[in-house]
């Protein structure tokens, strides 16, 4: 089987971490007799410099014609002063929109080997957690009607949270299907005690539940969820929520893993084609120094194999290789605990070699 992957290295550490992921994909491809064609494309700050736009038409067309998109990160201080439509991040928003990617999947897993990096109390960290957050990505308040007007007390501003049944149903289906493949537990997070849009959200989720008898669904209010995530994260498996609640809760969940350099993400739509990227940015402070942690990007590639190409065994092989490397005490600088015995600090390329070695055994 051949897969055509649109590859956007982006800016800062983007080229370094993407190089790692491509090496891993090539090795896994050889092992499973699958061939990956990598089509390297320009987007973000480097595209602004060379072509005058964050997302050249040729890049968008190539993404639309690909089997999936793998992205490093875009942006950096050099482009911070540009107006909104000309900023590097505009490339990401446009790709998501043009590819119809309405679901953002962010796993937040506390690896047993890294529980010392978890900022929660030791007894909570010791239990570990493995959460998959499914966030609606193209609706809700971030896309609703907004504006300013004159009111009796001066200027007023408003943003509207609006969801259609169809929008809720399609994100719900992704969450139910994921829950079916995991432990069968799904928590839908809303604010149904106050918001009408949340009451519709809840109705649609409950209606969908009839189609998925093997999934146990429960509701949780968003304020309680924010608290429960730090009190008892182990109670969560799959979470489904709206764009704004998901934005906030997924950042909270990533922080309790204690390691931004380890967390992958996927954005999906109605087709198998998705966009896969680490959750972190372009880390300009360490760019070009072979210091970046490539694991979030390597795990994003594993998500691509599982979710877009249905290569479950290949995806698991990558994840197991990463766990083994960490179990051996090998770390990049961002996840190294100073003074911890039996750990060794590696560069980005050394970490890549360590993961490759585990894949090739
Ligand atoms: P950042 O995630 O780039 O960096 C935050 C901190 O984490 C830095 O100290 C950085 O060195 C460290 N870090 C991040 N990834 C790391 C990795 N893989 N290995 C080791 N350390 C890592 O966030 P920021 O500094 O707020 O943003 C920098 C630029 O990235 C900005 O221009 C921002 O707009 C952009 N950004 C892009 C994306 C994206 O492309 N999806 C996401 C977030 C931020």
């Amino acid at each position: 089987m051949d897969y055509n992957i649109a590859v956007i290295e982006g800016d800062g550490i983007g080229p370094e971490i993407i190089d790692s992921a491509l090496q891993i994909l090539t090795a896994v491809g050889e092992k499973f007799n699958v061939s990956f064609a990598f089509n390297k494309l320009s987007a973000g700050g480097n595209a602004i410099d060379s072509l005058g736009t964050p997302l050249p038409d040729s890049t968008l067309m190539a993404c639309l014609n690909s089997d999936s998109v793998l992205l490093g990160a875009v942006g950096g201080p050099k482009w911070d002063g540009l107006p909104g439509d000309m900023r590097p991040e505009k490339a990401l928003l446009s790709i998501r929109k043009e590819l119809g990617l309405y679901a953002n999947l962010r796993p937040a897993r506390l690896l047993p080997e890294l529980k010392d990096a978890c900022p929660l109390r030791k007894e909570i960290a010791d239990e570990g957690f493995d959460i998959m957050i499914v966030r609606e990505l193209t609706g809700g308040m971030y896309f609703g009607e907004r504006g300013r007007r004159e009111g009796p007390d001066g200027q007023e501003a408003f943003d509207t949270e609006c969801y259609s049944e169809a929008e809720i149903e399609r994100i719900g289906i992704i969450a139910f299907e994921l829950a079916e493949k995991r432990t069968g537990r799904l928590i839908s997070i809303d604010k149904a005690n106050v918001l009408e849009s949340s009451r519709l959200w809840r109705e649609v989720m409950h209606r969908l539940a009839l189609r998925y008898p093997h999934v146990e669904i429960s509701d949780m209010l968003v304020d309680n969820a924010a608290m429960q995530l730090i009190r008892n994260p182990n109670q969560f498996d799959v979470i489904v929520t709206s764009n704004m609640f998901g934005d906030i809760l997924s950042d909270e969940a990533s922080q309790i893993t204690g390691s931004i350099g380890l967390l992958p993400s996927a954005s999906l739509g109605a087709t198998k084609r998705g966009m896969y990227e680490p959750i972190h940015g372009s880390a300009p402070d360490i760019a070009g120094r072979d210091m970046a942690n490539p694991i979030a990007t390597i795990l994003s590639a594993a998500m691509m194999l599982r979710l877009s190409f249905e290569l479950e065994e290949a995806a698991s092989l990558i994840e197991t290789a990463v766990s083994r490397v960490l179990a051996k005490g090998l770390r990049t600088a961002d996840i190294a605990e100073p003074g911890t015995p039996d750990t060794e600090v590696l560069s980005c390329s050394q970490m890549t070699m360590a993961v490759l070695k585990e894949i090739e055994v």
Side-chain angles (χ1 to χ4, degrees):
M1 193 68 190
D2 290 354
Y3 294 98
N4 166 22
I5 303 176
V7 178
I8 298 173
E9 294 178 325
D11 309 309
I13 58 170
E16 302 163 54
I17 54 179
I18 284 289
D19 178 63
S20 300
L22 300 191
Q23 289 189 53
I24 303 295
L25 281 172
T26 304
V28 166
E30 279 164 15
K31 201 144 191 163
F32 288 88
N33 220 2
V34 183
S35 132
F36 301 113
F38 303 125
N39 184 8
K40 284 202 183 174
L41 305 163
S42 178
N46 62 82
I48 295 172
D49 288 351
S50 58
L51 299 161
T53 169
L55 183 63
D57 289 345
S58 54
T59 296
L60 179 59
M61 284 311 293
C63 291
L64 285 164
N65 289 323
S66 71
D67 292 313
S68 260
V69 182
L70 181 66
L71 180 124
V74 297
K78 182 175 178 192
W79 305 282
D80 276 352
L82 293 173
D85 258 22
M86 274 303 292
R87 287 178 63 100
E89 292 80 359
K90 175 72 181 158
L92 304 185
L93 300 178
S94 302
I95 295 174
R96 283 179 193 149
K97 183 164 168 270
E98 297 297 328
L99 268 63
L101 304 175
Y102 56 79
N104 185 233
L105 274 57
R106 271 208 200 179
R109 181 167 160 232
L110 181 62
L111 297 166
E113 299 81 14
L114 291 179
K115 59 183 189 327
D116 290 342
C118 174
L120 301 179
R121 283 210 313 270
K122 186 179 175 315
E123 60 271 27
I124 299 175
D126 281 348
E127 280 201 350
F129 53 85
D130 182 0
I131 306 170
M132 175 68 85
I133 299 187
V134 180
R135 166 189 170 195
E136 201 290 325
L137 202 57
T138 54
M141 200 178 296
Y142 294 179
F143 290 86
E145 204 187 322
R146 75 193 56 190
R148 291 193 181 206
R149 62 190 168 209
E150 278 307 315
D153 301 317
Q155 273 229 340
E156 294 176 350
F158 62 95
D159 301 275
T160 319
E161 175 87 348
C162 177
Y163 270 113
S164 69
E165 285 183 289
E167 282 175 315
I168 303 169
E169 187 170 299
R170 66 185 187 180
I171 189 79
I173 289 171
I174 290 200
F176 273 96
E177 288 184 355
L178 271 169
E180 245 178 358
K181 289 190 196 136
R182 291 169 54 108
T183 67
R185 284 180 299 125
L186 173 63
I187 297 188
S188 169
I189 294 175
D190 60 36
K191 188 70 183 165
N193 55 342
V194 178
L195 301 177
E196 198 53 40
S197 52
S198 280
R199 287 193 270 271
L200 181 65
W201 180 278
R202 210 176 258 211
E203 270 170 47
V204 175
M205 289 296 164
H206 286 210
R207 202 189 307 151
L208 264 183
L210 303 174
R211 282 199 234 161
Y212 297 90
H214 302 301
V215 176
E216 180 200 321
I217 184 171
S218 47
D219 307 300
M220 192 178 278
L221 295 174
V222 63
D223 37 353
N224 185 25
M227 189 174 73
Q228 294 297 336
L229 264 176
I230 51 172
R231 209 182 132 256
N232 179 14
N234 191 29
Q235 71 186 287
F236 295 99
D237 181 25
V238 180
I239 286 175
V240 61
T241 192
S242 64
N243 200 344
M244 184 174 64
F245 296 159
D247 188 7
I248 299 164
L249 294 176
S250 61
D251 268 16
E252 184 186 353
S254 70
Q255 280 310 300
I256 57 174
T257 68
S259 48
I260 195 172
L262 290 175
L263 299 178
S265 80
S267 299
L268 300 173
T271 69
K272 282 276 166 206
R273 186 184 50 219
M275 178 155 85
Y276 297 85
E277 55 185 312
I279 72 156
H280 59 72
S282 60
D285 50 335
I286 55 165
R289 293 163 60 191
D290 197 18
M291 276 178 72
N293 186 343
I295 292 179
T297 317
I298 291 172
L299 293 178
S300 300
M303 284 186 91
M304 178 169 69
L305 299 186
R306 172 173 295 119
L307 299 172
S308 285
F309 305 159
E310 294 183 0
L311 296 169
E312 174 60 41
E313 231 184 303
S316 299
L317 178 65
I318 296 178
E319 289 160 354
T320 308
V322 167
S323 295
R324 287 215 187 107
V325 163
L326 294 171
K328 283 183 174 169
L330 303 176
R331 304 280 187 268
T332 42
D334 57 309
I335 49 170
E337 283 286 308
T340 311
D342 305 324
T343 60
E344 190 186 337
V345 179
L346 304 183
S347 65
C348 178
S349 44
Q350 287 169 327
M351 179 54 89
T352 309
M353 290 311 295
V355 178
L356 274 177
K357 219 165 120 191
E358 292 297 334
I359 284 172
E360 282 158 5
V361 287

